[in-house]
Amino acid sequence: MNKIYFILVMLILVAFPAGLMHAQELVVNGDLELWDDPANPTDWDKAENIDQEMGTVHGGTYSAAHTSASSSKDLQQDVAGIIGGTNYTISYWYYDNDTAAKTRMWSYWLEGTTYLDDNQAELRWDDYSTNIDGWQLYTVSLTAPANADGFRFEVRVYHENDHTGGMVYYDDFSMQAAGVSPEPTNYPTDFT
């Protein structure tokens, strides 16, 4: 009898892929380990003033060094597969200890290519990073707007005190479904 239960449990474990047991990572190459060339991380849609970094790294072999200029410069990826009403945990690590650079998140939920204004305080910071000699984690859990089908994950670097050429570093970007979505409250009730 125990052999039957053991075989049954083994069949269930084999039948369910490991991906179904864990949250799915939606950011592609969020750990910045893959690069098309030293200025372009693989699968990132926009990489302005970005360099592959091997010295200041949070995890793995590489991070992205973002150099400040006279205007803001972006690192962005449009994340697909967002489901409206689902809770997501959004996070990334940054290192800012340079008096000639500062950074902030500047992200949006998307409906197609249209920006949605939801969660502005969490996704488009009013304040900039401060200089700290160490990696800092930004993480937030948010519910995607009902009409969202994408997410523009974007961080920006800016000059600081009119000084340019400073660097901020990024690593380990992540966006995962954070759990079960809440029960809908708008079920149809007017049936004929």
Side-chain angles (χ1 to χ4, degrees):
M1 188 67 144
N2 286 340
K3 286 183 183 180
I4 293 173
Y5 286 123
F6 176 77
I7 292 171
L8 184 59
V9 168
M10 293 307 290
L11 287 173
I12 290 171
L13 289 175
V14 171
F16 288 99
L20 292 178
M21 296 179 164
H22 301 288
Q24 180 184 4
E25 178 59 59
L26 297 175
V27 177
V28 180
N29 190 31
D31 58 5
L32 299 165
E33 292 301 303
L34 303 174
W35 291 74
D36 296 336
D37 58 62
N40 292 292
T42 303
D43 293 312
W44 285 79
D45 300 307
K46 191 175 186 183
E48 299 176 323
N49 283 25
I50 292 290
D51 290 301
Q52 184 181 47
E53 173 66 22
M54 291 179 60
T56 305
V57 176
H58 178 261
T61 304
Y62 303 111
S63 69
H66 208 178
T67 305
S68 67
S70 58
S71 63
S72 66
K73 299 298 176 185
D74 303 343
L75 175 63
Q76 95 182 20
Q77 183 178 129
D78 286 348
V79 177
I82 300 300
I83 299 169
T86 300
N87 300 311
Y88 292 94
T89 299
I90 303 160
S91 65
Y92 73 101
W93 289 86
Y94 64 97
Y95 184 99
D96 173 12
N97 196 34
D98 193 322
T99 58
K102 57 189 175 184
T103 186
R104 66 180 170 180
M105 185 177 198
W106 201 258
S107 297
Y108 292 89
W109 297 105
L110 297 171
E111 180 182 11
T113 57
T114 302
Y115 294 141
L116 303 175
D117 287 330
D118 301 71
N119 306 114
Q120 180 175 340
E122 298 89 349
L123 300 177
R124 292 178 299 288
W125 303 346
D126 287 333
D127 296 324
Y128 299 92
S129 61
T130 56
N131 293 334
I132 295 176
D133 188 11
W135 284 94
Q136 300 174 65
L137 172 65
Y138 179 74
T139 186
V140 65
S141 292
L142 300 171
T143 300
N147 52 337
D149 58 11
F151 183 77
R152 175 154 294 161
F153 206 144
E154 182 175 320
V155 290
R156 294 181 175 181
V157 69
Y158 304 84
H159 63 82
E160 188 169 357
N161 301 322
D162 293 323
H163 300 285
T164 61
M167 288 190 186
V168 174
Y169 304 89
Y170 309 110
D171 209 350
D172 299 322
F173 290 85
S174 178
M175 185 168 193
Q176 297 184 8
V180 178
S181 299
E183 185 71 20
T185 59
N186 60 342
Y187 286 114
T189 57
D190 189 18
F191 292 105
T192 57

